Amino acid sequence: MKFAIYTYESELSLQVRDEILAAATGTTLEYNELDPEVVISIGGDGTLLSAVQKYRDQLDQIRFVGIHTGHLGFYADWRPHEVEALVASLLNDSGQSVAYPLLKMTATYADGSVDEHVAINEATIRNVSRTLVADVYINDVLFERFRGDGLCISTPSGSTAYNKSVGGAIMDPRIIGFQMAEMASLNNMIFRTIGSPVILGTHADVKLVIDDDRHTVLTNDREIMMMDDDDRQLKELKFCVASQRVYFAKYRHNSFWKRVRDSFIGDEE
Ligand code: NAP
Ligand code: MN
């Protein structure tokens, strides 16, 4: 089996990487950076986000495994001392996987240019100094005129990240959909937004028509896609469930809701 390792540059992460490479030597595991079947991410959840972005054009050929070298992660749920068990699982691999939906974002600029991005956690649009004003369309019907700090559009697996901090709901990643959560919306006698997170399904799309992109920042997972100093003027954003999925190698039962409990309530075992 062809595998690659994506490492956060910390001492422990690099040590775990070396242990895996040593354990793989002389086995049927072949290190292949360009065309891997399994990518092992070593670091935190953020490291895994970067690993997925690195391989975003090959997602249907790859399964990811995450080893956390910090605290328990959502995507990184193997521990550093489990290298031996992980290598044994890779050697006995029979293709077990779990698929999570991704978010597709299409950004259209005034000069006619169009960018497409895929997020595993979320995309956000935020205004850093003024009120963001955007007309929100759901399935091409005008839903509301949003005024506030910004909007967070998250995948089901990203729902425990930024989305949760802004009051979004935790979504089971077996649900194929996405959600939009508000950041500090203005609500008074004149301005009105829905005020609660909105969850949408497979065939839905959300379109944001941006009134004025000054002081606006656009993010996709951990990357900034557009800043105020971009020469182009952002006009429109469109969101829907991406056609690609991200696959994780499933070598043992590790339920999403157990991870939610262990991360936010406390480890009961
Ligand atoms: P970071 O500052 O390390 O991320 C913030 C925290 O979110 C870290 O503890 C990270 O875990 C955790 N996290 C990432 N994905 C998660 C998920 N799907 N479920 C639960 N927790 C998750 O920055 P980063 O490592 O570059 O990660 C980028 C992500 O940070 C963004 O996609 C966004 O979701 C999140 N973020 C959150 C806030 C907020 O809550 N106010 C603000 C900005 C960004 P690790 O330590 O294992 O990386
Ligand atoms: Mn991080």
Side-chain angles (χ1 to χ4, degrees):
M1 179 205 274
K2 292 175 287 181
F3 77 104
I5 299 178
Y6 188 93
T7 322
Y8 173 69
E9 302 280 324
S10 78
E11 201 180 322
L12 178 57
S13 296
L14 293 170
Q15 187 186 319
V16 172
R17 182 192 63 182
D18 291 345
E19 281 172 31
I20 295 172
L21 292 174
T25 308
T27 71
T28 52
L29 300 176
E30 173 204 329
Y31 195 84
N32 187 321
E33 176 101 24
L34 292 179
D35 186 27
E37 295 158 80
V38 168
V39 171
I40 304 168
S41 157
I42 310 172
D45 281 332
T47 313
L48 188 118
L49 299 178
S50 297
V52 172
Q53 292 297 346
K54 174 174 175 176
Y55 290 101
R56 65 181 159 244
D57 297 327
Q58 290 154 262
L59 292 182
D60 51 347
Q61 285 128 48
I62 293 175
R63 286 170 298 138
F64 290 86
V65 176
I67 303 179
H68 66 89
T69 49
H71 53 85
L72 170 72
F74 269 80
Y75 301 116
D77 57 359
W78 284 77
R79 286 174 289 186
H81 63 80
E82 294 177 306
V83 164
E84 216 174 298
L86 177 58
V87 170
S89 299
L90 291 170
L91 289 169
N92 289 315
D93 181 80
S94 55
Q96 313 93 308
S97 71
V98 52
Y100 286 175
L102 299 168
L103 176 76
K104 178 175 151 188
M105 169 167 77
T106 312
T108 306
Y109 294 84
D111 65 5
S113 59
V114 175
D115 289 348
E116 275 189 11
H117 308 286
V118 168
I120 162 162
N121 265 357
E122 78 286 290
T124 71
I125 177 160
R126 284 178 263 174
N127 194 307
V128 292
S129 63
R130 297 201 183 170
T131 307
L132 173 77
V133 181
D135 282 329
V136 180
Y137 291 80
I138 299 182
N139 301 336
D140 289 322
V141 175
L142 179 63
F143 182 70
E144 64 183 13
R145 169 160 275 205
F146 177 86
R147 287 182 178 82
D149 278 8
L151 290 162
C152 172
I153 296 91
S154 92
T155 65
S157 62
S159 67
T160 47
Y162 208 154
N163 169 75
K164 185 174 184 295
S165 302
V166 298
I170 298 181
M171 266 175 96
D172 191 314
R174 277 173 296 191
I175 300 171
I176 299 175
F178 62 104
Q179 76 177 293
M180 176 174 73
E182 300 180 347
M183 299 175 189
S185 57
L186 260 166
N187 268 288
N188 54 38
M189 299 297 270
I190 304 157
F191 302 140
R192 191 129 306 279
T193 66
I194 192 73
S196 67
V198 176
I199 295 178
L200 298 120
T202 331
H203 300 294
D205 66 65
V206 165
K207 183 172 80 184
L208 307 179
V209 179
I210 314 303
D211 187 56
D212 176 353
D213 79 340
R214 277 174 299 172
H215 315 288
T216 299
V217 177
L218 182 66
T219 69
N220 189 67
D221 289 341
R222 62 196 322 200
E223 286 170 74
I224 293 174
M225 311 318 301
M226 190 203 75
M227 286 276 263
D228 204 20
D229 56 6
D230 199 308
D231 290 336
R232 300 177 299 173
Q233 193 190 339
L234 179 64
K235 277 300 190 200
E236 200 180 287
L237 292 174
K238 214 162 187 175
F239 300 96
C240 62
V241 175
S243 56
Q244 308 97 302
R245 302 264 184 279
V246 60
Y247 298 91
F248 292 88
K250 192 176 166 63
Y251 294 130
R252 57 185 181 191
H253 185 68
N254 189 355
S255 90
F256 174 74
W257 291 105
K258 187 173 173 299
R259 266 175 299 166
V260 172
R261 183 200 67 190
D262 293 350
S263 295
F264 297 117
I265 308 289
D267 191 342
E268 294 294 315
E269 284 152 40

